[in-house]
Amino acid sequence: MLEGTQPVTASIDGLKLALSFNGNIVNTRQLRNETNKRFADLPYTCDSDLVCRKLLLEVKEHKDLTSAVSECMKNIDGAFSVTGITEDGDFFAFKDPHGIKPLCAGHSPDEATYAFSSETVSLDMNGFERDFELEPGELVTVSKDGFKREQVIKNPRKAFCAFEYAYFARPDSRFDGKYVYEIREEFGRNIVREYPEIVEDSDIILSVPETGDDPAMGVHEESGLRWERASRRHRYVTERAFILLNRERCSTIDRKINILGSKVDGKRLIVTEDSIVRGDTTKVTIGKLRSAGAKKVYMFVTFPRIIGPCFYGIDMSTYGQLIGSDHSAEEIAKIIGADAVCYQSIDGLVRATGQTRDQLCLACITGKYPTPLAQKMADEMKKKFIKGYEEKGRIYETCETSQQA
Ligand code: SF4
C-alpha cells in the first residue's frame, strides 16, 4: 500500500482494523501520546492512523464495536466521518457527534452490496441507490446479522460544514435531497437581491470556473444580465489551487484560467466566485481581466467573509493566511484590485441551504466553533494575532492550548 493513502490498517494482540477517514482531528497531541505507548513501532503519517489506533484500543478494552465507537466519539475532538472493516468482515461507518463532514449510505440495485460515501455522487456513478445521510453520532454496521443503525451518542448540536455547499462538495451531489448546484444557484440569486445598486452598474456576468458557474446561473436568472462564458478553464491543469503553496497557487490559476478578451473589453463585470481565502488567486484573475480591458470588476462571493481558521479539515488553519481575518470587504477589494467585493450574507447562505443556523458549522465566518478545544485554540491565537504574533504553522499543532491538550 502507498504511504499516506487510505484505508489505513492497525493490529494489536490479534485484533485488526482497516479504516478510512474524512475530516481533521483537533486534539492530535493528546491522542498521539495515548496511542504511541501501544503503537511505538508504527509511524504516524496522518489523522486516519490516530483514529484507527484509538478505535482498535477501545475495541480491545470494551470487546464490542459500539462501545469502542462511543469512546472515540467522546474522546476525539474534531470532524470525522469514518468507514472501516473489522477482521471478522463487519463493515461499519460512523460520524462525529456534530456531523461536521458528510457521510451517506447506499445499496446496489440487488441489495446485495452496501456502500458508504462522503457524497451521493459516487453512489450515483457506481449505480448505487442512496439510502440516507448518517446522523451526527450515528454508527451503522453491516454484518452477517444484517444492517444496523445505532445512535451511539446524543449529539449536542448538529454542525454540518457550510463550506461544503459553497466550495467543497461536487455540484451533482445531494444533501438532504437537494442538489448542491441548486443551492449554489440560489446563492447567486441572493447576492443579486442583496446588492441591487451593483447589479444596476454592471453589463455582464462572468464566472470563475467551476465553482463560480452555478452561482452565475442564479445571478443571471435574478438580474437578467447576460452570462458570458468569457473565462475558460484549461482542461489539463487539474490541481486544486486551494491546497497548493503560495507561488504554485498563483501560477496554477494563471495557467488554468484563460480570458476571452473580446468579451470583457470595455465591460463592467460581475464575477462570481465561491470564496476568498488568501485573496492571491482572485487577485491574479482580476489582473487578467483588467489586462483584457475590463472597465469594472465586481466580485460576487457566495461564501461570506472568512474571518477565522478551520480546524475540521479545510486547509485554512491560521489567521495570518486569511485576508478576511483583519480586512473588511472594502479593504479586500482594494488589495485584490476589485471595484467592490460583495459577499453573500450569512443569513442568505443559511436560508439557501435549507438548514438553520444551529444545524451548520459557520465557525470560520462567525468565530463560534462547535467543539470546545477548537474554540479555546481559536480564542488564544486570535488574541496573539491581534498583538502581532507571527503564527508558525497550523494553530492546532502549535498553540499553547494544543500543547496542553
Ligand atoms: S470552520 Fe468553516 S470550513 Fe471548517 S468545518 Fe466549519 S464551516 Fe466548514
Side-chain angles (χ1 to χ4, degrees):
M1 201 184 298
L2 281 175
E3 197 178 305
T5 59
Q6 303 199 42
V8 295
T9 56
S11 59
I12 193 166
D13 302 338
L15 287 170
K16 274 190 208 152
L17 266 185
L19 180 145
S20 293
F21 156 97
N22 175 24
N24 193 63
I25 304 305
V26 182
N27 59 336
T28 358
R29 187 168 296 268
Q30 178 205 327
L31 290 174
R32 278 178 78 165
N33 290 342
E34 193 183 319
T35 55
N36 271 357
K37 290 177 203 145
R38 303 302 307 275
F39 296 96
D41 49 333
L42 283 177
Y44 159 82
T45 54
C46 55
D47 285 353
S48 318
D49 284 325
L50 277 184
V51 178
C52 187
R53 291 169 200 181
K54 171 73 178 159
L55 184 60
L56 196 56
L57 290 177
E58 296 299 345
V59 171
K60 184 172 152 45
E61 168 85 18
H62 296 276
K63 313 279 184 260
D64 76 288
L65 185 65
T66 308
S67 310
V69 168
S70 168
E71 285 307 308
C72 284
M73 288 187 185
K74 284 180 204 152
N75 293 301
I76 301 177
D77 189 307
F80 44 98
S81 281
V82 173
T83 58
I85 193 157
T86 67
E87 59 177 325
D88 300 328
D90 292 356
F91 185 30
F92 62 88
F94 61 90
K95 223 187 215 188
D96 68 77
H98 293 87
I100 295 172
K101 290 281 154 195
L103 183 61
C104 61
H107 66 271
S108 61
D110 61 2
E111 299 198 19
T113 312
Y114 290 91
F116 298 104
S117 170
S118 289
E119 294 189 29
T120 59
V121 65
S122 58
L123 297 178
D124 293 345
M125 289 172 75
N126 285 288
F128 279 53
E129 283 170 35
R130 177 190 180 273
D131 290 321
F132 56 89
E133 180 73 25
L134 267 74
E135 292 296 327
E138 182 177 14
L139 165 69
V140 180
T141 320
V142 186
S143 67
K144 55 182 179 332
D145 302 324
F147 187 93
K148 192 162 89 181
R149 295 184 69 175
E150 290 169 275
Q151 190 63 44
V152 174
I153 280 210
K154 188 89 196 94
N155 66 309
R157 89 161 178 89
K158 186 177 162 188
F160 185 75
C161 170
F163 200 38
E164 290 278 347
Y165 293 102
Y167 171 76
F168 229 61
R170 274 198 32 169
D172 44 347
S173 277
R174 281 161 290 160
F175 294 135
D176 292 314
K178 242 183 176 181
Y179 277 106
V180 170
Y181 81 84
E182 294 177 304
I183 295 167
R184 290 182 184 160
E185 287 178 0
E186 182 61 13
F187 288 168
R189 289 190 279 270
N190 276 341
I191 309 184
V192 170
R193 292 177 207 124
E194 290 174 7
Y195 298 90
E197 70 294 350
I198 299 282
V199 175
E200 193 65 28
D201 192 45
S202 305
D203 300 314
I204 57 167
I205 307 154
L206 186 143
S207 56
V208 177
E210 290 170 344
T211 37
D213 290 345
D214 296 313
M217 173 59 98
V219 175
H220 160 69
E221 284 176 346
E222 188 69 19
S223 67
L225 290 173
R226 186 175 163 80
W227 173 20
E228 282 285 8
R229 309 299 304 275
S231 61
R232 296 300 166 126
R233 189 189 165 128
H234 194 307
R235 186 182 286 178
Y236 304 113
V237 182
T238 52
E239 301 106 312
R240 272 187 147 170
F242 191 87
I243 55 175
L244 296 173
L245 298 172
N246 275 3
R247 203 161 354 109
E248 286 174 328
R249 214 173 31 246
C250 292
S251 87
T252 296
I253 286 290
D254 202 23
R255 284 182 294 127
K256 198 153 132 176
I257 309 287
N258 191 29
I259 305 294
L260 304 176
S262 59
K263 299 275 187 191
V264 303
D265 190 16
K267 298 281 187 349
R268 299 167 300 171
L269 314 174
I270 285 175
V271 180
T272 54
E273 175 65 294
D274 56 81
S275 56
I276 297 179
V277 179
R278 302 161 183 88
D280 48 5
T281 55
T282 315
K283 190 173 178 177
V284 173
T285 308
I286 294 173
K288 288 169 83 117
L289 292 169
R290 298 277 189 207
S291 305
K295 202 161 122 197
K296 284 194 175 172
V297 180
Y298 296 121
M299 294 303 302
F300 274 21
V301 188
T302 60
F303 199 59
R305 183 162 63 98
I306 299 172
I307 59 166
C310 174
F311 301 110
Y312 306 123
I314 308 287
D315 195 14
M316 39 190 203
S317 45
T318 61
Y319 285 97
Q321 74 187 127
L322 303 171
I323 193 170
S325 68
D326 56 353
H327 293 102
S328 65
E330 293 72 25
E331 289 167 341
I332 294 171
K334 268 201 195 114
I335 296 168
I336 64 176
D339 291 280
V341 170
C342 308
Y343 286 107
Q344 181 180 201
S345 66
I346 296 178
D347 282 345
L349 171 115
V350 171
R351 206 173 39 247
T353 65
Q355 307 284 332
T356 58
R357 261 188 188 244
D358 56 6
Q359 292 176 316
L360 292 170
C361 174
L362 301 164
C364 54
I365 51 178
T366 60
K368 294 189 174 60
Y369 291 80
T371 64
L373 187 56
Q375 186 69 60
K376 220 169 153 194
M377 288 182 190
D379 293 345
E380 177 200 321
M381 289 310 280
K382 178 89 195 242
K383 273 188 210 140
K384 289 187 175 174
F385 178 68
I386 291 169
K387 287 184 190 154
Y389 172 86
E390 194 191 330
E391 294 157 305
K392 297 186 183 72
R394 296 180 170 122
I395 290 177
Y396 51 85
E397 289 165 355
T398 57
C399 75
E400 278 167 28
T401 306
S402 79
Q403 314 288 322
Q404 293 153 8

